[in-house]
Amino acid sequence: MAVYAAHLTRTLQGTPSIFQVTAQEALGTTVKPALRKLIEYLAEVYPDKCGWCVPWYDELYLLFDCCLQYHYLKHYAASFSESFYGLLRVPTTVSSEFNPGNLRLPEMLEYGSVALLVLVPYIKDKMEKIVDRWREDDEDGRLGKSKPDRARKAAIKIYAIVHLVAKSARLVQAARYMTGATRSHCPELALLGVSLRDAPLLHRDTYTWTGFFKNLLTGQFRGAAVSFPMVGGAVLRGVQYGAFVVQLLRWWDARAASHAALQPPPAPQPDERAVRWKNKCPICLQTWKIPTVLPVSGYIFCYVCISRHVRARATCPVTRCPAAESSLVRLYVD
């Protein structure tokens, strides 16, 4: 026991490099857009069953991320990305509630970590979407001199200042972390009173594939769930190798296929609705005002009509295909 405790103490004192903490942050930011692409694909293939997931994706991901991060914080004292890179969270101050033997954070630090990992990014994304919409309205001249419009203009400037201050604070904190002046690499962890350390090697090597399958066969699903990082790491490696194989097959197929032998696709059949809406916006049924095309369906709308509809429902009003406001393309016609 004394040897194990000495080894564990030395391991907990190991400070990860700036490259490790940056890599785990990058992994954490790639999960949400990757899942969004999957949801958008399913919504496009099965619009009746999965189409509702696109407008509510932020809320669905909030629920999923909350369960995922809490599971990792409870069993490994680390977030999903931190555990993947072999890191764990420890209090910066001496706490009698933190037991390095079972790697369990104090309850308040667990809840605070979940809030910073899940709730704060959700609120930030929502605020960014609102401010971006106000900024676009301001650039298009749709914000006048009324009190609400002036308040929106002021909010745009305040948000830009706050964003600059936050980024500057993160840069300063990272510089202080590299020089050893602080033990937390970002202001969020410093505010929470937590720092990252290398996880004990013994803890990382505790779970094996033999034990994982044994727990599944004997019905001990709790023990199998605890070893999820091992399974998650294998899945991520499989995805990486699978993506490489898919790209290789695509390159080989494109290299072997002769473009001259490809037959031209058949012409699309005319749509009765398209004939009825010729030179008109399918939403307001009036002549286009700032004609804007939605690439996912090819229909042309008034910019105000389609931007308002896509922001509210994230779908094409005609075909119900998933759509985003960033995909709108304005047309400049004489």
Side-chain angles (χ1 to χ4, degrees):
M1 291 298 293
V3 175
Y4 172 75
H7 170 76
L8 188 59
T9 303
R10 288 197 302 271
T11 306
L12 286 175
Q13 292 175 352
T15 302
S17 66
I18 189 65
F19 301 103
Q20 285 179 280
V21 296
T22 303
Q24 66 87 15
E25 287 182 349
L27 175 61
T29 57
T30 56
V31 175
K32 185 175 182 179
L35 289 179
R36 177 182 287 275
K37 292 296 183 182
L38 176 61
I39 293 299
E40 289 177 351
Y41 172 77
L42 293 176
E44 186 174 354
V45 176
Y46 307 104
D48 296 334
K49 297 180 179 179
C50 304
W52 64 273
C53 297
V54 176
W56 294 96
Y57 174 75
D58 290 338
E59 287 69 24
L60 292 175
Y61 183 80
L62 175 68
L63 180 61
F64 165 77
D65 197 28
C66 183
C67 297
L68 179 68
Q69 301 296 356
Y70 181 73
H71 171 79
Y72 273 87
L73 287 167
K74 181 178 180 180
H75 294 287
Y76 302 101
S79 67
F80 166 74
S81 57
E82 292 164 357
S83 178
F84 182 81
Y85 279 92
L87 305 176
L88 62 86
R89 298 188 173 204
V90 296
T92 54
T93 58
V94 179
S95 176
S96 59
E97 299 181 34
F98 180 70
N99 185 1
N102 57 16
L103 303 180
R104 182 71 186 270
L105 282 171
E107 189 173 298
M108 293 304 298
L109 289 183
E110 281 187 358
Y111 294 151
S113 298
V114 171
L116 289 178
L117 289 169
V118 179
L119 189 60
V120 172
Y122 172 78
I123 296 175
K124 181 182 176 183
D125 289 344
K126 289 296 184 182
M127 291 180 61
E128 284 183 353
K129 290 181 180 180
I130 295 174
V131 173
D132 288 342
R133 186 169 68 248
W134 290 349
R135 186 180 292 112
E136 185 176 347
D137 292 341
D138 187 26
E139 293 174 353
D140 293 337
R142 292 198 292 270
L143 295 183
K145 296 183 178 180
S146 62
K147 289 184 178 180
D149 290 344
R150 283 185 294 179
R152 293 187 180 95
K153 292 181 180 179
I156 294 172
K157 296 180 180 179
I158 294 174
Y159 182 82
I161 295 174
V162 172
H163 183 74
L164 177 62
V165 171
K167 291 296 183 181
S168 302
R170 290 184 65 88
L171 181 61
V172 172
Q173 187 74 11
R176 297 181 68 238
Y177 178 79
M178 288 188 291
T179 59
T182 181
R183 293 193 291 174
S184 302
H185 72 281
C186 65
E188 293 85 353
L189 292 184
L191 181 64
L192 192 61
V194 170
S195 62
L196 295 181
R197 293 292 182 268
D198 291 326
L201 293 176
L202 292 179
H203 177 70
R204 284 184 251 172
D205 297 337
T206 301
Y207 304 104
T208 62
W209 286 105
T210 303
F212 173 74
F213 288 112
K214 182 179 179 180
N215 289 331
L216 287 181
L217 294 176
T218 56
Q220 298 178 4
F221 299 106
R222 182 180 179 84
V226 172
S227 59
F228 184 75
M230 177 184 65
V231 181
V235 171
L236 289 178
R237 287 192 295 271
V239 170
Q240 293 174 356
Y241 297 147
F244 172 77
V245 172
V246 169
Q247 293 295 333
L248 178 63
L249 293 177
R250 286 182 177 178
W251 171 81
W252 185 266
D253 185 60
R255 180 175 176 269
S258 174
H259 295 284
L262 296 177
Q263 297 295 329
Q269 297 297 326
D271 191 351
E272 296 181 358
R273 295 176 298 179
V275 176
R276 187 171 69 253
W277 295 332
K278 185 177 182 180
N279 297 331
K280 293 182 180 180
C281 172
I283 297 178
C284 66
L285 301 180
Q286 303 295 326
T287 304
W288 301 315
K289 296 179 181 178
I290 312 180
T292 303
V293 64
L294 189 60
V296 71
S297 62
Y299 284 93
I300 302 176
F301 308 84
C302 299
Y303 176 77
V304 176
C305 296
I306 188 59
S307 61
R308 185 185 298 114
H309 181 88
V310 170
R311 281 198 301 266
R313 303 185 181 179
T315 59
C316 173
V318 179
T319 63
R320 308 302 180 192
C321 292
E325 189 178 7
S326 58
S327 64
L328 298 179
V329 179
R330 297 188 186 183
L331 300 179
Y332 297 90
V333 297
D334 296 333

